[in-house]
C-alpha cells in the first residue's frame, strides 16, 4: 500500500510502510548512511503528515520485516493483545499522539494499553512528537521491577555502578566499586563489562562482586556483562549469577549477529530463575540496545534505525527484564552524528521503551570522534531525569577506561538526584543511611579500603 502527501506543491509518494517510517524520522546520520533518509526536508514533512493520518490498525496489517522471514516480527504480531488495543484501535497515529498527551492517558491507562501496542506503532508516534512531548508522556509511565530491591518507583533515579577495568584486575574493579558505593551508585546493578569474555574471567569477577555485596549486605544485584553463552557456562559451574546480560536488536538477523536467538534467551532466563537468588522478585534479565546496531550488522532490511530500536524492546519485553538500557551514543557518529542527534535519540528510546512497558535506562554517552561533548550529555541526563528515566550509568570520572567512551559519572547522577529531588531505590537508600553514606561522614569506617580488600 502506497502513502502520499503534498507539501509546497510537490506530491511525495511512499511505496510502503517501511519507507514511510524511514522518511518520517527526524534526520540522523545512520539513516543517511543506509540511503533511506528523507531528502529534501520537505519530504520529511510530507512523510510525517502522511504518518499522522495513518490508522494504528494498519500496523497489524503490514509488517516492516516480513513475517515469514523474521522471528521478531512473529513475536510482535503473534503476541499482540487485541483487547488491550481496543481503546485506541480507531485512532490514527496523530490522534494517538493527542491522546497520549491528554489527561486521559493516566499511568493506569498507559499500563493497561501496553500489550496492545506494537513497537512500530510506538516508533511511529514518536516521529511526530517534539522533545517536550516525549518527556511529558514518558514521565507518566510507571514500570516497576524487582530482584533484591525495587526499581522504577516514582521519585527515584537509580544508577548502574560500572567499575570496568582494562585488564579485569580485581583490585581495579573493587576500587571503582568502592568509589561508586561511597557516592550513592549501584542500586540498579553493580555491573562489569569484562575486557576478556571467557568463563574463567567471568566467574572470577562474579565471585568478587558477590563477595563485596554479601560482606556488606548491600540490597542490590551484580552482573558481569559477558555473552549469554558464557554466563550459561558460568551458571553450570556454580557461579553466583544474579542477572543474565545480553545485547539484543530488532531483527532476527541482528540477533544472530550477536550470537543469540529467542530460544537461547529463554533458556538463559530459565537457568537464572532456577538459581532463586532474588529476594524481592524474579526479574533476572538485563538487556542493552542501541540505534544503529542492525545497520552495522547489515541486518536492517531497509528499516530506519529508530523503528528497529523499538522492535528490540519487543524482544526485551518478552523476557520480563529487571533492566534495559539504550547505549545511545556508543556506536558512533556514523549512526548518531552529534549531540543533537544523540539527545533526540536518547529521549525517543526512553519514550518508546517506557510506553512498551520496559524498565528503561539510558547510557548517556558519546564516543570521542563524535561531534558531542559533556555539556550535551549534561543536558540529556537532565532531560531524562525529568522524563522519569529508571536508571543511568555511573562511571568513574565519566570516562570508561576499558570501553574508551564518555558516559556519566557518579557525581553527575548525584547532581541530578539533588536537582530533581530524586532518591535511590528505597532498600538501597536505607542501606546508605545505615552505612553513613551521604551524611557528613566523609569515609564511613564500615566501608573502608582495608575491609573491602584494597588496603
Amino acid at each position: 500500500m502506497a502513502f502520499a502527501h503534498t507539501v509546497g506543491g510537490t506530491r511525495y509518494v511512499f511505496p510502503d510502510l517501511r519507507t514511510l517510517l524511514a522518511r518520517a524520522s527526524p534526520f540522523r546520520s545512520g539513516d543517511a548512511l543506509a540511503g533511506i533518509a528523507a531528502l529534501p526536508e520537505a519530504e520529511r514533512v510530507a512523510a510525517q503528515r502522511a504518518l499522522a493520518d495513518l490508522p494504528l490498525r494498519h500496523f497489524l496489517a503490514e509488517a516492516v520485516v516480513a513475517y515469514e522471514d523474521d522471528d521478531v516480527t512473529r513475536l510482535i504480531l503473534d503476541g499482540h493483545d487485541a483487547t488491550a488495543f481496543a481503546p485506541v484501535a480507531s485512532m490514527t497515529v496523530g490522534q494517538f499522539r493527542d491522546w497520549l498527551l491528554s489527561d486521559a492517558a493516566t499511568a493506569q491507562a498507559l499500563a493497561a494499553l501496553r500489550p496492545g501496542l506494537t513497537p512500530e506503532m510506538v516508533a511511529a508516534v514518536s516521529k511526530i512528537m517534539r522533545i517536550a512531548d516525549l518527556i511529558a508522556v514518558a514521565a507518566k509511565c510507571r514500570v516497576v521491577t524487582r530482584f533484591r530491591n525495587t526499581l522504577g518507583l516514582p521519585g527515584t533515579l537509580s544508577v548502574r555502578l560500572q567499575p570496568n577495568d582494562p585488564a579485569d584486575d580485581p583490585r581495579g574493579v573493587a576500587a571503582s566499586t568502592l568509589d561508586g558505593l561511597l557516592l550513592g551508585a549501584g542500586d540498579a546493578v553493580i555491573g562489569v563489562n569484562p575486557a576478556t569474555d571467557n568463563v574463567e574471567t567471568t566467574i572470577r569477577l562474579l565471585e568478587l562482586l558477590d563477595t563485596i555485596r554479601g560482606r556488606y549486605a548491600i540490597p542490590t544485584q551484580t552482573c558481569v556483562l559477558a555473552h549469554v553463552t558464557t554466563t550459561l557456562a558460568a551458571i553450570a559451574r556454580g557461579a553466583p549469577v544474579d542477572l543474565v546480560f545480553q545485547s539484543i536488536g530488532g531483527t532476527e538477523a541482528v540477533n544472530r549477529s550477536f550470537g543469540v536467538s529467542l530460544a537461547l534467551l529463554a533458556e538463559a532466563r530459565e537457568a537464572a530463575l532456577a538459581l532463586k537468588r532474588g529476594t524481592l522478585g524474579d526479574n533476572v534479565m538485563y538487556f542493552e540496545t542501541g540505534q544503529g546496531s542492525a545497520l552495522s550488522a547489515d541486518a536492517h532490511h531497509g528499516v530506519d534505525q529508530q523503528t528497529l530500536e523499538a522492535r528490540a524492546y519487543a524482544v526485551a519485553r518478552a523476557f520480563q527484564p529487571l533492566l534495559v538500557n539504550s547505549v545511545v551514543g556508543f556506536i558512533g557518529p556514523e549512526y548518531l552524528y552529534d549531540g543533537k542527534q544523540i539527545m533526540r535519540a536518547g529521549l525517543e528510546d526512553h519514550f518508546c521503551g517506557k510506553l512498551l512497558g520496559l524498565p528503561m535506562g539510558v547510557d548517556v554517552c558519546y564516543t570521542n570522534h563524535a561531534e558531542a561533548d559533556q555539556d550535551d550529555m549534561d543536558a540529556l541526563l537532565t532531560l531524562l531525569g525529568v522524563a522519569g528515566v529508571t536508571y543511568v550509568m555511573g562511571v568513574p570520572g565519566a570516562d570508561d577506561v576499558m570501553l574508551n567512551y564518555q558516559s556519566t559519572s557518579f557525581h553527575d547522577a548525584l547532581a541530578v538526584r539533588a536537582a530533581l529531588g530524586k532518591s535511590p531505590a528505597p532498600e538501597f537508600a536505607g542501606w546508605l543511611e545505615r552505612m553513613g553514606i551521604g551524611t557528613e561522614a566523609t569515609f564511613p569506617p564500615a566501608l573502608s579500603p582495608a575491609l573491602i580488600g584494597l588496603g
Side-chain angles (χ1 to χ4, degrees), residues 62-79 120 250-252 262 311 314-315:
E62 182 179 356
V64 296
V65 183
Y67 180 93
E68 59 274 14
D69 296 336
D70 188 81
D71 62 2
V72 177
T73 299
R74 294 192 290 273
L75 176 72
I76 292 167
L77 295 179
D78 293 350
E120 290 86 353
T251 70
E252 180 178 353
L262 300 182
R311 282 170 54 97
V315 176

Side-chain angles (χ1 to χ4, degrees), residues 14 51 74 90 113 120 411 429 437:
F14 312 99
L51 186 61
R74 294 192 290 273
S90 64
L113 186 61
E120 290 86 353
H411 300 83
I437 300 173

Side-chain angles (χ1 to χ4, degrees), residues 408-424:
T408 47
S409 72
F410 307 133
H411 300 83
D412 294 333
L414 280 178
V416 172
R417 279 177 176 166
L420 300 179
K422 303 275 188 176
S423 302

Side-chain angles (χ1 to χ4, degrees), residues 2-196:
F3 310 90
H5 206 284
T6 300
V7 172
T10 300
R11 182 173 175 80
Y12 295 93
V13 179
F14 312 99
D16 52 32
L17 180 60
R18 178 176 58 193
T19 304
L20 178 65
L21 288 168
R23 301 296 194 272
S25 285
F27 181 78
R28 59 210 58 197
S29 53
D31 290 339
L33 180 65
I36 59 175
L39 290 173
E41 185 66 26
E43 185 183 20
R44 179 171 294 104
V45 174
Q48 289 176 339
R49 289 181 176 177
L51 186 61
D53 292 338
L54 185 67
L56 287 177
R57 280 198 180 98
H58 186 84
F59 293 92
L60 302 175
E62 182 179 356
V64 296
V65 183
Y67 180 93
E68 59 274 14
D69 296 336
D70 188 81
D71 62 2
V72 177
T73 299
R74 294 192 290 273
L75 176 72
I76 292 167
L77 295 179
D78 293 350
H80 181 256
D81 187 330
T83 301
F85 180 56
V88 298
S90 64
M91 294 182 186
T92 64
V93 173
Q95 290 169 336
F96 184 44
R97 172 193 173 275
D98 293 344
W99 180 82
L100 287 171
L101 291 166
S102 75
D103 291 340
T106 62
Q108 294 76 20
L110 292 171
L113 186 61
R114 291 168 191 161
L117 297 177
T118 69
E120 290 86 353
M121 294 175 190
V122 171
V125 74
S126 76
K127 295 176 192 296
I128 61 168
M129 297 176 93
R130 297 167 50 200
I131 279 179
D133 299 339
L134 298 172
I135 293 170
V137 176
K140 296 192 286 187
C141 296
R142 296 282 178 262
V143 183
V144 177
T145 56
R146 294 178 175 88
F147 189 77
R148 286 198 190 91
N149 57 21
T150 307
L151 303 176
L153 292 172
T156 63
L157 172 62
S158 295
V159 182
R160 171 189 160 190
L161 202 171
Q162 185 169 305
N164 295 345
D165 184 89
D168 291 327
D169 185 337
R171 289 174 59 85
V173 171
S176 294
T177 299
L178 172 61
D179 187 19
L181 290 170
L182 289 170
L183 289 166
D187 54 333
V189 64
I190 304 174
V192 177
N193 296 90
T196 304

Side-chain angles (χ1 to χ4, degrees), residues 157-364:
L157 172 62
S158 295
V159 182
R160 171 189 160 190
L161 202 171
Q162 185 169 305
N164 295 345
D165 184 89
D168 291 327
D169 185 337
R171 289 174 59 85
V173 171
S176 294
T177 299
L178 172 61
D179 187 19
L181 290 170
L182 289 170
L183 289 166
D187 54 333
V189 64
I190 304 174
V192 177
N193 296 90
T196 304
D197 191 330
N198 61 55
V199 178
E200 289 72 23
T201 297
T202 296
I203 293 175
R204 184 171 68 251
L205 292 173
L206 283 167
E207 290 176 343
L208 169 68
L209 296 180
D210 195 56
T211 296
I212 295 171
R213 183 197 62 77
R215 180 177 298 178
Y216 300 104
I218 308 171
T220 190
Q221 35 285 329
T222 65
C223 184
V224 174
L225 283 69
H227 191 270
V228 63
T229 54
T230 305
T231 303
L232 279 170
I235 290 174
R237 289 173 54 172
V241 173
D242 289 344
L243 307 182
V244 175
F245 166 82
Q246 184 55 48
S247 295
I248 57 172
T251 70
E252 180 178 353
V254 71
N255 286 324
R256 190 183 308 120
S257 77
F258 289 142
V260 299
S261 65
L262 300 182
L264 180 59
L265 294 175
E267 177 188 348
R269 180 172 181 267
E270 290 304 313
L273 286 172
L275 299 178
K276 300 184 184 300
R277 291 176 58 83
T279 55
L280 295 184
D282 60 0
N283 299 115
V284 296
M285 303 299 285
Y286 174 11
F287 295 116
E288 285 190 348
T289 65
Q291 290 194 28
S293 60
L295 177 58
S296 67
D298 194 23
H300 59 104
H301 298 275
V303 182
D304 69 273
Q305 63 186 41
Q306 191 254 334
T307 298
L308 289 179
E309 174 72 3
R311 282 170 54 97
Y313 303 154
V315 176
R317 183 170 62 173
F319 299 100
Q320 301 172 41
L322 180 76
L323 304 166
V324 178
N325 77 276
S326 165
V327 193
V328 65
F330 182 74
I331 301 180
E334 299 85 357
Y335 308 98
L336 295 169
Y337 178 73
D338 57 16
K340 182 176 181 178
Q341 291 185 20
I342 292 170
M343 183 178 300
R344 170 82 194 189
L347 292 165
E348 286 171 349
D349 295 350
H350 178 252
F351 163 85
C352 290
K354 279 291 185 65
L355 198 54
L356 289 168
L358 291 178
M360 202 69 197
V362 177
D363 189 345
V364 180

